[in-house]
Amino acid sequence: MIKNFVLGLLVLIVSVPTILFAEAKHMPSSISWEKSLEDAVAKAKDTGKPVLLDFFMIA
Amino acid sequence: MDTVTYPNTAVIDYINKNFIPIQVNIKTSVDLLTKYRVFWTPAILILDSRGTEYYRIEGFLPSDEFIPQLKFGLGRMALEKGDYKKASSELKVVIDTYPKSDAAPAAQYWLGVSDYKATHNTDALLSAWREIMKDYPNSIWAHKVSFAF
């Protein structure tokens, strides 16, 4: 009985993160911000995409 | 934006697919602040691959207004660049997909301009603008086209 419980618990511990990871793999977790405008403009030239430049303020 | 709009999965997906995004802190990027004449945040600019600005959004927007504004910005950029086919396509998406958004009546106005620029047909312009009078009679865009009817 205890052995079955432990086995069940182990299966749960292993499978839940795997399922969550598999789900997460198909969802973008965040915006892929570039580090510098020069890099962003260079990538824009390569990809044909426009640049989205977000000015924010952290004091 | 960072706590409400940017974590939204639809926003993440749309930006990652359609833009090369970059965030800059105005406290540490005074040169860019000056170059793009930014004096308030949030300020979100759409630039072409030369770094030339074509559209800007100033002030916070929730995701259901932000995405249509970005699409509208792409439409305006295409229009200004003379790519009327792309402009009309982007603007139609705003009108059809986000008809209740603030961007929709503006998109309807500029769709008329785009169609007119592409065809030099006044009927195309008036047809698009007539839709503003019908669908968005209380918007400022209805005032802008009222002289034509």
Side-chain angles (χ1 to χ4, degrees):
Chain A
M1 176 100 174
I2 292 173
K3 187 180 171 186
N4 284 343
F5 175 76
V6 172
L7 276 173
L9 195 62
L10 276 173
V11 168
L12 194 66
I13 288 168
V14 170
S15 61
V16 167
T18 306
I19 291 165
L20 289 176
F21 180 71
E23 290 283 324
K25 252 193 349 182
H26 300 291
M27 293 176 65
S29 57
S30 64
I31 295 169
S32 308
W33 300 108
E34 293 296 320
K35 303 294 181 196
S36 73
L37 185 58
E38 289 73 21
D39 290 348
V41 165
K43 281 197 178 179
K45 280 179 182 156
D46 288 345
T47 61
K49 292 180 183 178
V51 173
L52 189 74
L53 174 56
D54 174 32
F55 288 92
F56 70 100
M57 185 175 73
I58 294 178
Chain B
M1 296 295 287
D2 276 335
T3 55
V4 176
T5 306
Y6 288 147
N8 178 282
T9 52
V11 171
I12 292 169
D13 188 49
Y14 184 71
I15 289 179
N16 284 341
K17 277 184 184 164
N18 293 282
F19 292 95
I20 305 297
I22 172 172
Q23 274 189 311
V24 296
N25 185 347
I26 63 167
K27 291 281 184 186
T28 57
S29 302
V30 179
D31 53 337
L32 290 179
L33 198 69
T34 305
K35 179 179 179 182
Y36 290 107
R37 308 168 333 277
V38 170
F39 63 93
W40 189 248
T41 61
I44 297 104
L45 279 56
I46 295 178
L47 317 176
D48 70 0
S49 58
R50 293 180 176 179
T52 303
E53 177 190 346
Y54 280 87
Y55 191 66
R56 74 169 55 191
I57 299 164
E58 292 170 309
F60 167 80
L61 282 178
S63 58
D64 58 349
E65 285 288 344
F66 189 57
I67 293 176
Q69 280 289 335
L70 292 178
K71 287 181 187 286
F72 176 72
L74 292 180
R76 277 298 309 269
M77 183 163 79
L79 178 58
E80 202 172 326
K81 283 179 172 284
D83 187 346
Y84 304 125
K85 188 177 175 185
K86 184 176 181 187
S88 293
S89 172
E90 293 282 1
L91 295 168
K92 276 178 187 164
V93 169
V94 176
I95 297 158
D96 294 341
T97 313
Y98 307 94
K100 304 285 186 192
S101 71
D102 281 351
Q108 187 67 55
Y109 180 93
W110 291 110
L111 174 64
V113 174
S114 181
D115 287 349
Y116 174 73
K117 290 270 189 183
T119 62
H120 299 290
N121 180 354
T122 312
D123 288 342
L125 179 71
L126 294 177
S127 173
W129 283 7
R130 200 170 284 115
E131 294 297 310
I132 299 175
M133 300 297 280
K134 180 169 71 74
D135 294 336
Y136 309 102
N138 297 319
S139 72
I140 193 170
W141 300 97
H143 293 298
K144 287 175 189 269
V145 303
S146 60
F147 73 94
F149 301 101

